[in-house]
Every structure is written in structure tokens, then in C-alpha cells.
Amino acid sequence: MKNRILAALFLVFIAAQPLYAGNSLSKAAISGDLESVKEIVKSGEGVNDIDKWGWTALMWSVYYGNIPVAKWFLEKGANPDLKTEKEYGSYLPGTTALILAASYGHHEAVDALLKKKADAKYVDRKGKKAIDYAREYQFDSCVSLLERSK
């Protein structure tokens, strides 16, 4: 019974994340709402702004697998090498969007980030590179892209 309650609370927490993501651009990036993202940027929020959780909207879009939104941010000048400023879940400060993409097997995001010159050699605070996460979780398409970027 206790495990069911904990599982239910975890699901509620995950579902509520967009409500607590920080600024409105981060919330739109989390939800994958590209039209809202465009309007929010047009109204003045910056693609490289750090939200109250210490992440950029690009990081959130990659984390949640909203690849069209991530690609749009990159087209609009989002810096692929910015690092998280705060801990979130298992991610320590200093995590990049490329590390997030590789950790979740988002090969389209890995490809887009590398095309925008994301630094694949960056090591996070756990001493790992994006390719290390891709290998650990057996995301072969990400591994292949990262190997070619050397």
C-alpha cells in the first residue's frame, strides 16, 4: 500500500512540473507549445534566460523530448553549452543540454545540438560526458552521433 501511495505521489509531482517550472518560456518549452514559445520570446523573454530552477528553456525542451521546440531555440540563438545552475532530480549543477539529450536518447536533439557546435567534450560534475550517458543507457544512435563529433 505504501509503495502505491508513493507511486501516486510521484506521478502527481511529475504531472505538476509545468506548474512550477519557473518563467513562462520554460513552462511553454516543457509543454511543447511552440506557438506559445514564439509569442513569449517575441514579448521579451530571452532564449538564454535562466529560470528559477536554474535551467534554460532549451534544457527543459530537451529534457521533456520536445524536439521541435529545442530546434527552434537553437535556430534563434540559444547557447547549447550553457550549464544548469541548480540541482534538479539526479542532475547536478553544470549539466548541459547535450548531456540531457544523450541521457534520454533524444538522438534528434543530440544531432541538432552538435550542428550548433555543442561541446561534446564537456564533463559534468559526475565526471561524465554526453557519450558516457548514451553508452550507459545503450542509446546507440546517440553514441554514433557523438563519436562522429570528435
Side-chain angles (χ1 to χ4, degrees), residues 16-45:
Q17 285 305 299
L19 302 174
Y20 299 105
N23 63 25
S24 56
L25 187 57
S26 293
K27 291 176 188 177
I30 288 168
S31 69
D33 186 348
L34 184 55
E35 292 308 312
S36 290
V37 164
K38 291 177 181 178
E39 287 300 315
I40 294 165
V41 169
K42 187 177 178 181
S43 72
E45 283 194 42

Side-chain angles (χ1 to χ4, degrees), residues 43-54:
S43 72
E45 283 194 42
V47 296
N48 289 312
D49 289 354
I50 304 290
D51 65 17
K52 70 181 183 180
W53 292 100

